[in-house]
Amino acid sequence: MTLCSNGALAVAAVQTGTFAAVLMDMQMPIMDGLEATRRIRLLAAPKSSIPIIAMTANVSQQDQEKCLAAGMNAHIGKPIEVKQLTELLAHYLPLSETHHLAPSKTPIMSPTTVKISLSSAAPAVPQQLVGIDLDTAIKRVNGNWPFLYQLLRQFIDDQQDIVARVQRLMHDLTDEKNLIITLHTLKGTAANLGATALSEIAAQMEHAAKNQRQDLLAEMIPTLDSQWQQLVNAIHSISVEHTQALNPATKTVMSNTETQTLLADLQPLLDSDLAAAQILIQHLIDTARDQHLSAIQSIQQAFINFDIDQTKQLLNQYSSSILSTS
């Protein structure tokens, strides 16, 4: 998986790399998604026929028609629903690529794996989290509360200066497009994480920015700041019990024999059930000896990037290193 910060980089990535599909954001700096798609369709075959799926908060019939006219294969609205995205990818990707997208009907799980899956259940979810629609947000990450918590923490860390940045861009009349993109990105990310009120005020400000309504933007800044601080405070206020459940002070370290058994269970899951594989990789991290943690984190990063071949290669290397020290 390759992330591109603008449309021009997306075109270059397709031109020089090998990909199964493109998830194309519509509003990007330098070159938007429509123009990037048009240029990809002008490349030499077979790159010109790569499936391109538009991702945008604009779901009107007119916007969908623009996507199709530019050469996109399909359109998915934000916030993204994992099930819908998986179904779209399964439709457009060849079988050799889609076997990773969904669990098989007969998962390959040994008794060891089943036991770990049950014992690695997510910690209790807070009864409420002010500013977050928890039910919707947890559904979008397939019920993985620890993962959602990490996403929320990453979000407030990455966007900690968002209000000041919006104010700065508002006063820079030469950078109007960047203001619109910043608000558009905030709107989409907040929606995906269930921060509905923050997403809505970002959407209203994006609309005002497009219409060059500096007066409305100025009026909405206090609301943006209020919604942002509410979200930050809510995430920071998650009880100590929840944080400790996510990052226990002590851990049980597996023996090399137990680790080898777990690795043997994990390998086939990478071809049949990625949700179960995710649980086992996290369990490896939670129970790893300190000297093995770096290797397992590399495995996890390859898995997060959906580089299954690299994940398998790193697993084999890790397994061999354990055998040599047994």
Side-chain angles (χ1 to χ4, degrees):
M1 178 183 291
T2 298
L3 299 178
C4 299
S5 59
N6 62 66
L9 290 176
V11 175
V14 173
Q15 192 169 18
T16 59
T18 301
F19 301 94
V22 175
L23 300 178
M24 185 73 77
D25 198 356
M26 297 305 297
Q27 295 200 33
M28 296 181 287
I30 300 178
M31 183 186 297
D32 64 25
L34 293 174
E35 181 60 25
T37 299
R38 295 187 191 101
R39 297 197 183 193
I40 290 173
R41 293 305 182 217
L42 294 175
L43 298 176
K47 294 181 182 294
S48 60
S49 59
I50 187 172
I52 301 177
I53 298 172
M55 298 192 305
T56 176
N58 301 320
V59 293
S60 69
Q61 183 64 34
Q62 182 180 13
D63 289 312
Q64 293 184 46
E65 289 173 356
K66 287 181 180 178
C67 293
L68 297 176
M72 296 183 180
N73 298 83
H75 172 283
I76 185 169
K78 295 179 182 178
I80 304 299
E81 294 291 344
V82 174
K83 183 175 183 293
Q84 183 184 5
L85 178 59
T86 300
E87 289 173 350
L88 270 176
L89 290 173
H91 177 75
Y92 287 103
L93 298 188
L95 184 61
S96 60
E97 299 289 344
T98 58
H99 76 289
H100 296 309
L101 294 175
S104 66
K105 294 181 180 179
T106 310
I108 306 171
M109 297 182 73
S110 73
T112 300
T113 305
V114 173
K115 181 179 179 181
I116 289 171
S117 297
L118 293 174
S119 66
S120 298
V125 181
Q127 290 296 315
Q128 65 175 359
L129 198 56
V130 178
I132 297 291
D133 180 351
L134 271 179
D135 289 342
T136 299
I138 290 176
K139 179 182 176 182
R140 290 204 179 103
V141 294
N142 292 326
N144 192 332
W145 158 243
F147 181 53
L148 174 61
Y149 174 78
Q150 296 299 331
L151 288 177
L152 289 168
R153 289 303 301 259
Q154 187 67 47
F155 177 51
I156 64 173
D157 287 345
D158 290 345
Q159 301 290 336
Q160 56 185 303
D161 66 337
I162 184 62
V163 177
R165 188 156 21 110
V166 168
Q167 288 179 302
R168 185 170 63 252
L169 291 170
M170 282 171 52
H171 294 108
D172 185 358
L173 300 180
T174 64
D175 206 4
E176 179 183 309
K177 187 172 183 180
N178 200 6
L179 172 62
I180 293 172
I181 290 171
T182 298
L183 291 167
H184 180 80
T185 301
L186 178 63
K187 174 184 69 176
T189 306
N192 281 329
L193 293 173
T196 307
L198 179 62
S199 177
E200 288 176 353
I201 187 63
Q204 293 171 21
M205 294 185 73
E206 179 191 8
H207 181 73
K210 288 179 177 178
N211 289 283
Q212 300 181 327
R213 292 294 304 273
Q214 291 285 335
D215 56 329
L216 292 180
L217 285 169
E219 290 176 6
M220 288 186 277
I221 278 290
T223 304
L224 176 67
D225 185 46
S226 173
Q227 291 296 338
W228 175 251
Q229 290 303 324
Q230 184 182 68
L231 176 64
V232 171
N233 293 337
I235 295 171
H236 284 318
S237 70
I238 293 176
S239 67
V240 173
E241 290 85 355
H242 290 306
T243 305
Q244 289 177 339
L246 290 166
N247 302 289
T250 60
K251 66 180 181 181
T252 302
V253 177
M254 285 196 300
S255 67
N256 284 353
T257 301
E258 291 171 326
T259 301
Q260 286 288 0
T261 300
L262 189 65
L263 293 175
D265 289 335
L266 178 56
Q267 282 280 4
L269 289 175
L270 293 171
D271 291 321
S272 64
D273 193 339
L274 291 186
Q278 179 188 12
I279 291 174
L280 293 200
I281 292 173
Q282 185 60 53
H283 188 74
L284 276 172
I285 288 179
D286 292 341
T287 59
R289 300 175 186 273
D290 290 342
Q291 64 266 34
H292 294 167
L293 189 57
S294 178
I296 301 174
Q297 287 174 334
S298 296
I299 293 170
Q300 184 185 49
Q301 189 58 55
F303 180 80
I304 290 173
N305 292 337
F306 287 98
D307 191 339
I308 303 303
D309 291 337
Q310 177 70 0
T311 303
K312 290 179 179 179
Q313 181 180 341
L314 292 172
L315 277 174
N316 288 333
Q317 292 174 2
Y318 178 54
S319 178
S320 298
S321 71
I322 293 176
L323 285 173
S324 66
T325 58
S326 297

